[in-house]
Amino acid sequence: MERTTSRLSFSSRSSSRASEHRNHDLLLPCTEKPTEKRRPRIRAMLGHCIYRKVLIWTVASLVLVAVILFRGKDVSMPDVVQYGKSKLSPSHEAAGDDNSNGDDDGESGHAIVVMVQDDAEEDSEQGVEQDVEQGVEQDVEQDGEQDVEEVEVQEQFEEQVEETPNVEQQELSEEERQKAVFDEQVEKMPWLLFKHLDGYFHGLKALVQKSHHIPEYPNRNREAPFPPPPLNYHVSKPRPYDPYTLPHNARTCYLDRGNTVRPPAIYAYDGVPQHMPDPVLGSYALFGIRDDVCFDRFGRYGPYGLGYTKVYGGLGVGMDTENSGSQAVWAETGQLDYNNVDWGDAQERCSAANKHRFLEPDEETEELPTAPDEREGKKDRIAIVVRCYQGFGWTELAVLNFRAMVTELSLKSGGEYTVHLLLHVRDTNLPIWADDVTAQRLLDASIPAEFHGMVTLWSEPQMRLLYPGHFPAAAQNPSGGDVHGVYRSAHMPLQVFAMQHPEYEHFWNWEMDLRSVGNYYELLHGIGSWADKQPRSLLWERSARYYIPAYHGSWDNFTETVQMDTMHSGEKTILGPVAFAGRKPLRDEQRGQPVLPESCAFGQDPALCGVGEAADLITLNPIFDTKDSGWVFTDDLTGYHEPTSSDPPRRSSIVTVARLSRRLLAAMHEEVWRHHHTMFSEMFPSTMALHHGLKAVYAPHPVYFDRAWQPLGSAVDDAFNSGDDHSTSGRHSVFDMSNEHNHKGTSWYYHSEFAGLLWRRWLGYAQMDGRGQHGSAGTERGGVFEESSSDGSGRMCLRSMLLHPIKYERPSEQS
Ligand SMILES: *[C@@H]1O[C@H](CO)[C@@H](O)[C@H](O)[C@H]1NC(C)=O
């Protein structure tokens, strides 16, 4: 944990540059896509059955896509057509991955802590191109133990490949061909036949109070779709939205050094559009997130520069969209001029002003105090570590999202959270650690000037230097990546970041392609406090299941259901560290330090065990047992002697967005440097929590569906808790490659198509609705004309929700 880094001081430069860059290229010259470098190594590809499959699938996907593109229609819908398309591009972790590249240091907004750099790895495992490949592989690659199934899947696919040309030879009409493709897809994805929901797209003229709100879905009394709701032409004004309850000793933070400009509030409308659906997975009430208000694009982003030009300090986006009544969001503050804001500096001033409220590491040990009297009345600080990479295409809307994060999480909370950008330097030839000018150039080319003060750099060679020694080959390596590479070990730079930042107790691993419709603080604070309150008993079991209110009813009933399912399964429940052949202890354990809190001691009420103990891991998808799950990366584990299907026991959670405690990251760090253990990025944190008895929680945040799954409740439970004992674990898991498609119509999954569609329409851009015959692109809906039309319902307004992945925002960005 020595700082293995040299520190280069950048701060002053970055702030002064902020202003120079305010022309259109402020948003990065760097738009090149990191996608095209990977060249397949033919010999390797043919030499290994995985690669062979990749090849076959790739060819097959290409053929499909080609057919669709050349003969079919537009492909921008959340539908079948896209499914074919996404075979090529996404990867499971595409999201995670892209994101996993960054680094920043923020030690302070002013310094860039540079970690090391080193030889250039092959491009082969870098980001997106890799994602591409892995996407294919993931789709292709079944789990090794399921050879039979694997072969079947492969055969099916080969058949498809052969069939496709036939279809063409027979000169089917366009429509017949589409129908054939659609029928085939429906066979695999029966949910494609469910009715689309309309309620998301009703606008401000359809607002009703929550007490009068009738969700289009889930709804026991009436089946979707519903006809349009009545309109009200007097839309009431949005109001500043304040989810903060700060203590009296909290000091106000400001955007400027002179402490004159307060960070603005976002605005919400009272009520929700009539017939907006309710979430299908998860809940608002659990987290205390309000669901009786909605946010339009101007209330959400107007305060940060949406809807006015750069001349006035805005970003010049959103001006081509419907905007009636939007001025209300600037009534109190005016349109703020963001042209000279230095966000890193603003965060630091904010933390400094509020230093008295937070726990600080001891100067000698660099450890945060643990004794109750030392902690009295003080809070832990939390870092949001956003993973970015050199070559990421920054846009105005990405900048808005970032301003929202810093304002809502850091400045408005009085420094409880601090946002960092962890920038993955992919070009390992750049002497950024040796030369300030090179480093500054890299920054200028990679990150908008206003965020320079939040950046920490890292590179893969640096990880090889920090975690040296022999890492034996993994049991399986479906992605073919390097063990120190970002795709397989996105956690490594996060571990290092945590070791270099003793001031934080928790770290949110965050990604660039996430968007929050509501306030970030309300969301993360709600999730964090709820997770900390969860009891340890049956926590792993609950966390392995999707919570589906239309099926489970209340959370208490869900809890009971889990208890029953677990009892019937006859499986042992998990509490504390697990034993398995070849398990290796950590130093803390060898020193006899207990891992369970006092509330779990003998003689205490088991129902209170862990209540109030900060969660070591909070995930946003269930934490499933990978054994027999069919999840592609199940056997990508390194350094264990017995990598059989169950030994060591493993857990994983898809999408690497998660809150990790310092304790968990320290455990992961030690396992890597000391035992040379590591696992695929999505599996390592939850598995380490399992092995070492740490508190891991899946937080069922609200997730929406694009279609009305029927029968109500049971259809979703059957598909999403389809694994062992009504969970996401084990055989028939929804995370099996052949079942993951169920997530495509949801608002949260690495390859969700609904998330982007909903987001872009909410931003005011027309989108194809995917409702054409046989699943074709359908018609263009939304956008400025529809939202402005006098008989339309107006501008969209959505409840708070987290969306992923958002791969592009403005239609012009679609590649
Ligand atoms: C409780 O959950 C079970 C599912 O296990 C469900 O069948 C039942 O209807 C639920 N009860 C209530 C009152 O919601």
Side-chain angles (χ1 to χ4, degrees), residues 201-401:
F201 308 108
H202 302 317
L204 292 171
K205 292 182 218 163
L207 286 193
V208 291
Q209 294 303 304
K210 193 191 165 196
S211 53
H212 295 142
H213 171 246
I214 302 166
E216 187 182 26
Y217 184 85
N219 186 320
R220 300 223 161 267
N221 306 317
R222 231 169 117 189
E223 278 202 19
F226 291 6
L231 303 183
N232 172 1
Y233 288 83
H234 299 281
V235 178
S236 58
K237 286 194 176 153
R239 295 191 298 185
Y241 189 68
D242 182 8
Y244 302 92
T245 43
L246 299 187
H248 297 301
N249 64 351
R251 304 261 162 79
T252 307
C253 300
Y254 297 89
L255 291 172
D256 62 325
R257 284 189 158 267
N259 289 354
T260 59
V261 186
R262 292 181 181 228
I266 65 171
Y267 279 65
Y269 286 89
D270 281 321
V272 284
Q274 184 57 293
H275 304 330
M276 169 154 179
D278 283 343
V280 176
L281 310 174
S283 153
Y284 288 95
L286 288 181
F287 309 108
I289 301 172
R290 283 178 62 183
D291 64 353
D292 60 344
V293 293
C294 69
F295 302 88
D296 76 317
R297 55 184 167 272
F298 293 102
R300 173 81 192 87
Y301 277 164
Y304 306 124
L306 179 91
Y308 56 103
T309 61
K310 295 189 185 185
V311 175
Y312 296 106
L315 281 165
V317 281
M319 306 180 60
D320 50 351
T321 68
E322 196 281 336
N323 67 355
S324 58
S326 60
Q327 308 78 339
V329 310
W330 301 295
E332 280 185 22
T333 58
Q335 294 180 332
L336 292 181
D337 178 353
Y338 283 98
N339 282 341
N340 291 302
V341 176
D342 178 339
W343 295 95
D345 188 47
Q347 281 196 127
E348 255 179 69
R349 283 182 280 108
C350 186
S351 309
N354 285 279
K355 209 171 160 195
H356 55 285
R357 297 174 52 211
F358 299 103
L359 291 161
E360 274 188 86
D362 180 280
E363 285 194 356
E364 268 175 29
T365 63
E366 292 211 332
E367 282 174 15
L368 291 167
T370 48
D373 57 323
E374 285 176 285
R375 299 180 60 91
E376 188 69 44
K378 297 209 174 184
K379 296 186 89 155
D380 287 320
R381 294 180 62 193
I382 303 173
I384 310 279
V385 184
V386 187
R387 315 292 298 262
C388 190
Y389 55 91
Q390 182 190 5
F392 175 79
W394 283 84
T395 61
E396 287 86 355
L397 285 160
V399 169
L400 280 173
N401 178 56

Side-chain angles (χ1 to χ4, degrees), residues 83 156-157 160 183-190 738 741:
Y83 184 64
Q156 278 169 15
F157 212 85
Q160 241 178 46
D183 288 348
E184 197 171 315
Q185 276 165 331
V186 165
E187 209 163 300
K188 281 186 241 152
M189 304 183 276
S738 56
H741 61 76

Side-chain angles (χ1 to χ4, degrees), residues 93 96 100-101 115 385 387 422 458 463 467 471 482-499 509 636 638 656 660 664-669 671-672 677-686 688:
E93 299 231 290
S100 18
N101 313 334
M115 312 173 4
V385 184
R387 315 292 298 262
L422 196 56
W458 76 277
M463 295 303 122
Y467 295 118
F471 286 80
D482 187 271
V483 73
H484 290 92
V486 66
Y487 192 69
R488 292 177 67 207
S489 294
H491 43 273
M492 286 183 185
L494 188 67
Q495 290 160 195
V496 174
F497 182 88
M499 298 308 113
N509 190 52
D636 187 350
T638 297
T656 55
L660 291 80
L664 172 57
L665 283 160
M668 293 160 63
H669 177 67
E671 285 267 12
V672 175
H677 286 165
T678 183
M679 295 179 196
F680 194 76
S681 303
E682 287 168 335
M683 186 159 62
F684 197 48
S686 24
M688 288 301 101

